[in-house]
Amino acid sequence: MSISLSGPDIGQREKDLVNEVLDSGWLSMGKMIDRFEADFAEYIGTKHAIAVNSGTSGLHLLIRALGIEEGDEVITTPFSFIASSNCILFEKAKPVFVDIDPETLCIDPAKIKDAITDKTKAILPVDVFGQPANMTEIMKIAEEYDLKVIEDSCEAIGAEHKGRKVGTFADASVFAFYPNKQMTTGEGGMIITDNDEVAKLCRSMRNQGRGQSDLWLDHVRLGYNYRLDEMSAAVGIAQLERIEEILAKRAEVAEEYNRLLADVDEVKTLTIEESTTKMSWFVYVIQVAEKIDRDSVMNYLRDNGVSCKPYFTPIHLQPFYKEQFDYQRGDYPITEQVTDSTIALPFYNDLTKEEIETVVQVLKEAVTPPRAFGQEVS
Ligand SMILES: *Cc1c(COP(=O)(O)O)cnc(C)c1O
């Protein structure tokens, strides 16, 4: 038996709403989408919410809606899931990486100015692992240099920076609902913005570039099929209804881990910034001390029934990026140092206290020398 890394939390309400859709026979672009978008906009406190079929689709639409084109540069972080950078490449613009703050693991605002050139059009920060990027500083820089900002909040629904929800700082933001996220729709994402024009463009482009007329075959611009279906939207409505309960459960699991790991010197838990007035726990990631061989620790965890994963592999060291852009080790040293030492532990809403204790017990054994230094213990 092993303790899995993540798992969705689906209840009866989700099933009831999905059945409602199936019984109605209306499976796309119906009232569940309208309701999910209205509920989401209200939850975040934003004017528009546009549902799409993935977080990646949402990011791509925003790159286009904000007018980022071939040759433009977008400043972003190498310590992220690959989609936050790929969306820039989709439009033949160039991601320009800036190293992270070693504590928040988000883009370091102090290093952004040095990366700005006359080709820079936008900044794309990521709220990593559910902790907000320093949006106060990022928005100041954007204003000074007249840059657009797209906030990738895919990992941070409900998180708050200085008392304000993530997603409300930038020109537009994206949330994602893949099954390992805090709330899920299976596949799915949501664009949010207060900007009417951006919202209109995103609505059109997610639906094959259709105009606002009711003519189904009236295509006024290049678009895609990035529509979310009604069954997924139904699941989203039910998940969003108990988002506070979900976030509270996750916070409880994280606090229990933090408590049990507080006196383990070889393990560093995530630093929560003072400006993070609410954390939205996405994954539970620890860093092992530099002298410890991370991969041996992971092997030991797996051999003893504890799922785990290195998190993330930096984007600039992904094979495709290395090949295309000639990146190499050493280019973003803080990102690389963090990457080499992080391990994501099992983390989901209903992880029990006993399971958390087991994980911590095995982890403690794993970081104890000589095992932790890559040697076999007989
Ligand atoms: C999950 C995630 C996305 C979107 O992923 P999809 O699978 O396309 O929904 C984008 N950026 C980050 C940082 C993510 O974690």
Side-chain angles (χ1 to χ4, degrees):
M1 243 211 22
S2 75
I3 304 176
S4 63
L5 199 59
S6 70
D9 174 357
I10 302 293
Q12 191 55 43
R13 173 83 174 143
E14 282 83 346
K15 295 174 191 169
D16 291 345
L17 286 178
V18 169
N19 274 326
E20 209 178 288
V21 173
L22 295 174
D23 289 340
S24 78
W26 194 291
L27 307 188
S28 180
M29 299 297 269
K31 57 181 197 210
M32 288 296 179
I33 285 284
D34 290 346
R35 200 159 126 200
F36 186 32
E37 290 180 342
D39 291 354
F40 203 89
E42 193 190 328
Y43 173 66
I44 301 290
T46 192
K47 196 166 169 193
H48 304 282
I50 301 118
V52 284
N53 59 2
S54 74
T56 307
S57 308
L59 289 167
H60 182 202
L61 292 188
L62 285 180
I63 291 289
R64 279 201 54 201
L66 291 172
I68 294 158
E69 296 175 339
E70 180 162 3
D72 291 344
E73 293 179 357
V74 178
I75 293 174
T76 189
T77 171
F79 191 67
S80 175
F81 179 60
I82 197 148
S84 61
S85 177
N86 278 353
C87 65
I88 300 164
L89 294 182
F90 292 165
E91 293 304 316
K92 299 190 165 62
K94 187 177 178 225
V96 172
F97 295 125
V98 163
D99 214 346
I100 56 171
D101 175 317
E103 297 303 324
T104 64
L105 313 184
C106 297
I107 193 168
D108 186 347
K111 292 179 180 151
I112 290 178
K113 281 190 187 176
D114 284 345
I116 296 175
T117 72
D118 54 7
K119 289 184 184 159
T120 309
K121 280 285 157 59
I123 309 173
L124 196 159
V126 179
D127 303 316
V128 174
F129 301 156
Q131 170 144 251
N134 189 339
M135 293 309 293
T136 309
E137 289 306 312
I138 291 165
M139 294 314 294
K140 258 191 223 158
I141 297 166
E143 203 160 303
E144 188 182 339
Y145 291 86
D146 195 22
L147 303 173
K148 305 279 189 208
V149 180
I150 298 171
E151 186 177 5
D152 180 341
S153 299
C154 288
E155 302 184 355
I157 184 171
E160 291 177 15
H161 171 71
K162 298 188 178 174
R164 188 169 151 189
K165 275 205 176 72
V166 298
T168 61
F169 294 87
D171 292 282
S173 309
V174 178
F175 293 87
F177 311 125
Y178 187 73
N180 73 334
K181 306 276 151 124
Q182 291 90 326
M183 64 167 271
T184 186
T185 59
E187 298 284 356
M190 190 73 82
I191 297 167
I192 62 160
T193 183
D194 281 332
N195 183 313
D196 296 340
E197 183 62 21
V198 168
K200 193 184 92 181
L201 284 171
C202 288
R203 280 189 190 287
S204 169
M205 287 189 294
R206 83 165 166 191
N207 193 16
Q208 307 283 17
R210 288 189 168 89
Q212 280 175 307
S213 72
D214 283 334
L215 298 174
W216 192 246
L217 291 175
D218 175 30
H219 303 272
V220 299
R221 61 179 62 80
L222 180 64
Y224 313 88
N225 176 359
Y226 284 172
R227 299 183 299 260
L228 187 71
D229 64 84
E230 287 283 289
M231 290 76 74
S232 301
V235 174
I237 291 168
Q239 293 263 293
L240 190 62
E241 281 173 359
R242 53 193 180 89
I243 186 69
E244 293 307 335
E245 177 201 322
I246 289 173
L247 295 182
K249 274 186 182 175
R250 295 174 89 87
E252 221 173 279
V253 172
E255 274 155 29
E256 184 65 10
Y257 266 129
N258 283 344
R259 193 176 69 78
L260 295 175
L261 288 169
D263 60 353
V264 184
D265 292 340
E266 295 84 358
V267 169
K268 182 175 183 289
T269 58
L270 188 65
T271 306
I272 309 299
E273 285 295 291
E274 215 177 287
S275 57
T276 299
T277 47
K278 181 167 178 174
M279 179 73 189
S280 171
W281 290 92
F282 166 48
V283 284
Y284 190 84
V285 169
I286 54 136
Q287 286 174 256
V288 293
E290 218 166 338
K291 59 180 196 271
I292 291 178
D293 182 57
R294 191 264 317 261
D295 294 343
S296 314
V297 173
M298 287 206 305
N299 286 337
Y300 187 81
L301 287 168
R302 286 180 183 138
D303 287 347
N304 288 277
V306 175
S307 307
C308 59
K309 216 167 133 182
Y311 228 83
F312 304 106
T313 301
I315 296 173
H316 70 285
L317 296 181
Q318 296 286 358
F320 173 70
Y321 277 77
K322 275 169 84 172
E323 212 171 276
Q324 288 274 306
F325 301 101
D326 260 350
Y327 288 121
Q328 36 197 301
R329 258 194 177 270
D331 286 345
Y332 302 97
I334 298 172
T335 293
E336 290 164 23
Q337 190 271 317
V338 170
T339 287
D340 291 344
S341 63
T342 51
I343 303 174
L345 299 177
F347 189 67
Y348 46 89
N349 300 352
D350 292 315
L351 198 63
T352 65
K353 280 211 158 131
E354 291 70 36
E355 286 169 323
I356 299 170
E357 270 165 31
T358 304
V359 173
V360 170
Q361 184 51 42
V362 176
L363 179 62
K364 276 183 180 169
E365 291 164 21
V367 296
T368 307
R371 192 175 283 122
F373 301 97
Q375 290 150 27
E376 284 305 315
V377 186
S378 53

